[in-house]
Amino acid sequence: MHALEILLPSSPLYECLEGRIPHPSWTFTQIAEFTEQEEKDKINFEIGQRRTRLGARIDQVTFEVRREILQKSKLNTIYQGVIDWTNDDEARRLFEEKLLQHTFETLVVLREPEKHKVQKHVESLAKGMVIIKHPFLLAWRIVLEWNECGHLESLDVGLLREFVEFFPDDGLSKVLRGFLNSEISPFPKLGVQGPEDGPKDDTVSTVEERLLLMAEGLEDNSSALASRIMADYYLYIEEFESAVETARKAQQQLQTQILESGLHLTENVIAIKNILATALVQYQAPRYHPEARSLFNDILQLKPTDSSALIGMGLIFEEQEDYENAIKFLERALTFSEDIKIKAETAWCRALNGEFESGLLALNKCLSDLKGSELRTRTLKSQILYRSGICIWNLDSSKKARKDRRGAYDRFLSSIQINTNFAPAYTSLGIYYADYAKDKDRARKCFQKAFELSPSEVEASRRLAESFADIREWDLVEVVAQRVVDSGKIRPSPGSRKKGTSWPFAALGVVQLNNQQYAKSIVSFQSAIRISPEDYHSWVGLGESYHNSGRYVAATKAFEQAQKTEAESKTLNVENTWFTKYMLANVKRELGQYDEAIDGYRAVLSLRSREYGVSMALLQCLVERAWHNIELGFFGRAIDSAEEAIKTALDIAEWRNGVQSLWKAIGDACSVYSLVQAYSAGLPSSNLRELLGKHLDVQEFNVLAELDRTGQSALELLSKDHGSLFPPEICCLAAILSYKRALNCSANDRHARAVAWYNLGWAEYRASVCYGDKVHGRAKKPLLRFLKASVQCFKRSIENEAGNSEFWNSLGIATSTLNPKVSQHAFVRSLYLNEKSARVWTNIGTLYLAQKDHRLANDAFTRAQSTDPEYAHAWLGQGLLATQLGESAEARNLFTHAFEIATSSSRIIKQQYTSSAFDHLRSMPMAEANAISLLQPLFALQQLSTLSMDNTPFQHLIALFQERVGNYTDAIINFELASSVLESEFERSESFDVLVRFAQTKADLSRAQLARKQYDPAIQNAETAISLLDEQSFDCLSDRQSLEKANVHKIKLSAYVTAGLAHFYGGSMDHSLDMFRSALEESAGSPDTVSLLAQVLWAKGGAKERNVAREQLFNSVEKKPGNAEIIVLLGAIAVLDDDLETIDAIRDDLQGLRTREGLSLQQRTQLVQLITIVTTLHPGEQNKRNAQMSEATRAVMLNPTLPHGWSQLAELTKNSHPAQMAVLTAMRAVAPHGNLDAEDLCKAFAAKNSSNDSKKAIMLAPWMTHGWNSLVQIQGE
């Protein structure tokens, strides 16, 4: 290429070589080809290198590389050389195109300060090509697009036509063809000379063809001019949405041209903004008014006399009902334009501002000045007639004036006659017909026509929606409301004085609420409330939507706000606002706040006493509160609520009793009494008999009477005191009769009848359970008549509704004892319908457990637990399975977990939990037992005693727990009740098992009486237990009965020991010794018995008795060495006898006991005290004080968490630190952390020797002298 440059005219050798070398045009052409390829390769190489850099973007990299290379390019000079030297016109035109294209590409990538010079060069090259009419598209586009053009009429029409002729297939050319033939063109129609056929009319005849051609051109084009023309045309034909979209596109394209060229094109920017803002004023008004207003302000800052912007601002203020500003801007526009449309708009704004008379005069003048018959003229005339009619309508608002057909009515009718598509006139005519002519049909037709023409006619749409709502055409209401919402007319723009319209959203919410589309109705009512925060009905609708969708907290807030709005409103009728109170009560009921809900229902009934729905809601709420209280363990409250429900039902039945829900609620209330058996005697039988007998058809009670024997005669049982019937049985009969009446009320509803059979089935099954309990001596065997009746009920419920899984589950439960195969089939069918029911999985697991299929039972219980971990009976079933497999520890843990997550209504969970807890308590060492661990089982047993009136084993069990916690008074009462029941049962059956249980109860009763220092009754009951078991012969007992023999010895031993202690404390030493000797024989030398006997013998005081006590203790040590109680007694006797030999013998044993685990706190206390005494009296080689200190510090080292060592150390050292530690450790050892009693805690506080601590010691144990002595000593000092 350097060699070719030597051949150029600019070379010093050119004059010598001229004529001998190729023509310069050839040389320039060759250099241009080489340079083009070199630049292309260099650009591609640099882009490939830089695009791999971190954070690089391909578009940015390409732009930077092209700018660097094109700025240094010599192609422009080389192209100019070809143009200057070539003699070939075609070559010249080709390189002129290349020069323009290269220069334009360089202009695009240059920075802003560098563009001006290059832009001038590009524009000069383009204009040169256009002048000589060279058909290079880029040049023509540059000339057209870069032209400052405020209005389209300032374009060069000749240039436009030449462009269309040269480039007929270009998109801009198609848009220009449509524009030049359109109504908005300020130029003559376009005619094109055909190339073959001579003159040819190429005009587009119809609007549709023209619009199709221009839209096609716009799709193939990126021209800002084309988009501007198209947006202006859309605005002309009032396609505002398309105008907005196209104007925005034109804005983007024009901004791109400005960035590429460096020109400002201010006039073009203003023109496109004007088109966009004008379209935004009309498109979904007033949604985009803020944006339009901002655009108009920008235009007016640049061009204050722009009439389009002034008119647009006036229209925006008019829509915002700021008529003063609207008039101001429109009058400014009139100073630059005499357009009659602006005059009419100004007059209309005056009328809207209240100046109806002056507005009417101005409108009439505009009407007289309006000439012509074009479509736009007729449309404007129709509008002016309508507006003048509105002025007449408001000038005289009397009924006579408005009914006058020569007044406003005539103007409205004339408006429609001129323009049949003018919607506001139809609205006004509809109002005339509806309110004054009383012609509803014509009014509805007018409103419907107005709505069809324009959904922005809000008043017509509202009245039309109301008419559809009156005839319950909710689909049509939804269509009307949705179209009004979509119109955008109902939401005012920000800062507008115009009030929004909320009824379309409220109407949509009502329709969606009726269609159960709660999520959508919530959104609709929220939108209505945002527009009208004081809309009472929207708040009610929102609350109801929240309630039906399960969002009860939000519903509560909505209804409370509705009530607040109701209180502040002066237009609402108080009697019509009861619905808010009713719905708020419903929400409270769903939230479980039953007391507040009941108060709400009663407040509504005080306004509307015979409102059936509210009365039934109150009744059902009372029943639900009763069941809720049962689950919480508030059984007394549950009974009160059930009783109140029955009274409420009695009031309702006075004026309406043929409803299923009424009798179901009565049956549920009776079931509450049958479940809480301790209160079942309080069933208001007389009220129930009166209630059940109201408007009675005898045949209602004969349903299944052949099976359950509960017919008309059963009603008489409710009013008589039948000794043969247990109170829960009467409750069950009342429930069955109630459900039978409910069944009769559901004859016409298949689903309701299925539910009624289901409820009756459960009542029958409940009766079979209650009748099957052991009550008043009857055998504990389910009565098959009720059970079979329940099976029939569940079958009939399934016949009516076979797809209900609960019905199949109930059938499986009822048939589990009658036919396990049928039961399994029912459970499987229920799981097929609903496999996620933990209840059904638990039931089928229980069936497998009853059939001894442990593997399937375990699988079913595990599935139930995974389905619902909070379902307690699944864990109960797993515990029962563990019990059958002999895993007692695992079973106890499962029962405990089931009890913790269960409600208070489950009897079996409480039974299993308390039984397992007591079994564990018996097996654990006394040192590990504490009162806190007994409280939960005790509470469970107390609830169980309320749920089950006559359950002797668990009555006995609760007495045992009460004895353990020191509640001896209640324990004695429960022992006596259990004893009387067992005595009666034994007298009837003379069963060995009952005899053993009776004797055990007597023995336990005597032990509790001993604790209460009732020595004579204790002796009497203990001797009764001994005599009962002594008289019993153990010969010829069955294998099962022989299992009780092991318990007999324990019972007798307990009775002997209790009697011995009672004689001892009663002062009868001889009888006490006799009893302990018998206990010693019965226990085969038990160390505990020996210990008690030794203490009694020693207390008697005789030398002979004390020798016997020593002998018994030494014998026990020889047989069972290591017993702590025996060793401590031997040590205490040795100290009293000053027996040094024995003291030396047991000294090491006493020291060894200090580190032994399993000793109770009292045993450790006795041990430390004994060792201290031994060390003090017999110190050995150490002195007395050192021995005491040694033992005290040793006690602290061995058991630093116990208070006795610290107390002893504090007493010896008189130091405050050990005394403080004694108090701290004592506080940690009291319940629930340990078993330290109040007396030991009193000693620890008294040892601190401070006034406050001495008072605390007195408060803790006022019967102890330590606190008093300490306080006296401190006050004396």
Side-chain angles (χ1 to χ4, degrees), residues 753-1053:
R753 193 163 183 80
V755 174
W757 278 114
Y758 172 76
N759 293 330
L760 179 58
W762 273 118
E764 300 278 6
Y765 184 81
R766 176 66 187 162
S768 72
V769 174
C770 285
Y771 273 71
D773 286 343
K774 181 182 177 183
V775 179
H776 293 305
R778 290 204 299 269
K780 194 170 186 181
K781 179 181 179 182
L783 295 183
L784 294 181
R785 59 190 178 100
F786 290 113
L787 192 58
K788 290 180 179 179
S790 71
V791 172
Q792 289 300 317
C793 291
F794 292 137
K795 285 182 178 179
R796 294 190 184 183
S797 66
I798 291 172
E799 290 172 2
N800 284 275
E801 190 176 342
N804 193 310
S805 64
E806 290 297 326
F807 295 171
W808 286 100
N809 175 54
S810 304
L811 179 62
I813 294 172
T815 56
S816 59
T817 56
L818 298 176
N819 192 331
K821 292 184 178 180
V822 174
S823 177
Q824 183 186 22
H825 170 74
F827 286 138
V828 170
R829 182 65 180 173
S830 178
L831 289 173
Y832 172 76
L833 296 171
N834 181 16
E835 65 175 357
K836 294 184 179 180
S837 175
R839 182 184 295 106
V840 183
W841 281 110
T842 302
N843 290 338
I844 196 172
T846 306
L847 178 66
Y848 291 143
L849 186 62
Q851 301 302 316
K852 307 298 182 183
D853 193 335
H854 297 156
R855 183 182 63 82
L856 288 178
N858 181 68
D859 293 343
F861 290 137
T862 303
R863 181 66 179 270
Q865 292 162 9
S866 61
T867 302
D868 184 5
E870 298 299 319
Y871 187 60
H873 287 79
W875 300 96
L876 173 68
Q878 197 83 39
L880 293 173
L881 176 61
T883 302
Q884 287 192 3
L885 297 176
E887 300 175 358
S888 58
E890 178 68 16
R892 185 183 70 257
N893 292 332
L894 291 168
F895 291 146
T896 303
H897 179 67
F899 174 76
E900 289 172 349
I901 64 175
T903 62
S904 297
S905 60
S906 177
R907 291 168 56 180
I908 187 172
I909 290 179
K910 292 181 176 61
Q911 291 171 353
Q912 295 299 324
Y913 166 66
T914 53
S915 298
S916 63
F918 188 76
D919 291 341
H920 175 64
L921 187 64
R922 290 177 56 193
S923 63
M924 66 188 298
M926 287 295 295
E928 299 179 11
N930 57 73
I932 299 301
S933 63
L934 305 177
L935 293 180
Q936 201 169 23
L938 184 58
F939 290 149
L941 284 167
Q942 288 176 342
Q943 290 183 343
L944 183 61
S945 65
T946 306
L947 294 172
S948 180
M949 285 184 63
D950 192 5
N951 198 335
T952 306
F954 287 94
Q955 196 169 27
H956 189 177
L957 186 59
I958 191 174
L960 292 174
F961 273 105
Q962 288 169 340
E963 180 189 10
R964 289 284 183 128
V965 298
N967 187 4
Y968 302 113
T969 303
D970 290 342
I972 290 172
I973 294 173
N974 284 299
F975 279 136
E976 288 175 345
L977 291 173
S979 176
S980 62
V981 173
L982 290 171
E983 184 176 6
S984 300
E985 186 175 351
F986 176 69
E987 289 175 355
R988 189 191 77 257
S989 64
E990 296 184 356
S991 168
F992 174 75
D993 294 337
V994 177
L995 173 66
V996 174
R997 291 168 56 196
F998 178 48
Q1000 183 174 0
T1001 307
K1002 284 291 186 180
D1004 294 339
L1005 174 59
S1006 67
R1007 189 172 60 249
Q1009 290 171 335
L1010 173 64
R1012 287 292 298 166
K1013 299 182 180 180
Q1014 299 173 4
Y1015 302 127
D1016 292 337
I1019 293 169
Q1020 182 181 354
N1021 286 309
E1023 290 177 350
T1024 299
I1026 294 169
S1027 63
L1028 286 172
L1029 297 177
D1030 285 342
E1031 294 172 0
Q1032 179 63 41
S1033 174
F1034 296 105
D1035 298 333
C1036 302
L1037 294 178
S1038 63
D1039 293 337
R1040 186 185 62 81
Q1041 291 173 331
S1042 62
L1043 295 176
E1044 299 289 343
K1045 293 180 182 180
N1047 290 333
V1048 169
H1049 295 291
K1050 294 181 180 179
I1051 297 169
K1052 291 176 68 177
L1053 176 60

Side-chain angles (χ1 to χ4, degrees), residues 90 96 159 189 231 366 380 472 565 697 749 781 783 862 872 928 1111 1152 1271:
E90 293 184 3
E96 284 177 350
L159 188 65
K189 302 299 180 184
C366 292
L380 180 59
R472 296 189 176 276
T565 304
D697 183 358
D749 188 338
K781 179 181 179 182
L783 295 183
T862 303
E928 299 179 11
E1111 182 181 351
L1271 184 61

Side-chain angles (χ1 to χ4, degrees), residues 127-145:
K127 286 181 177 179
M129 288 187 178
V130 171
I131 289 172
I132 64 175
K133 293 183 173 51
H134 177 61
F136 183 50
L137 181 61
L138 177 62
W140 288 81
R141 291 284 291 271
I142 287 173
V143 171
L144 289 175
E145 298 285 351

Side-chain angles (χ1 to χ4, degrees), residues 46-47 50-51 56-65:
E46 289 295 330
I47 291 174
R50 299 185 188 184
R51 66 182 297 180
R57 293 180 303 178
I58 183 65
D59 54 343
Q60 183 180 0
V61 168
T62 303
F63 192 83
E64 292 176 354
V65 170

Side-chain angles (χ1 to χ4, degrees), residues 510-523:
V510 171
V511 174
Q512 292 157 353
L513 190 61
N514 289 335
N515 295 335
Q516 298 182 357
Q517 298 173 333
Y518 303 124
K520 293 182 179 180
S521 67
I522 289 171
V523 174

Side-chain angles (χ1 to χ4, degrees), residues 695-737:
H695 307 286
L696 175 64
D697 183 358
V698 177
Q699 297 301 320
E700 294 183 20
F701 289 155
N702 291 335
V703 178
L704 298 180
E706 68 280 3
L707 286 178
D708 61 9
R709 303 174 193 170
T710 306
Q712 175 68 24
S713 59
L715 189 61
E716 301 298 327
L717 298 177
L718 299 180
S719 60
K720 296 180 181 179
D721 185 13
H722 280 265
S724 60
L725 288 180
F726 195 49
E729 298 170 4
I730 298 177
C731 300
C732 291
L733 290 178
I736 291 173
L737 294 176

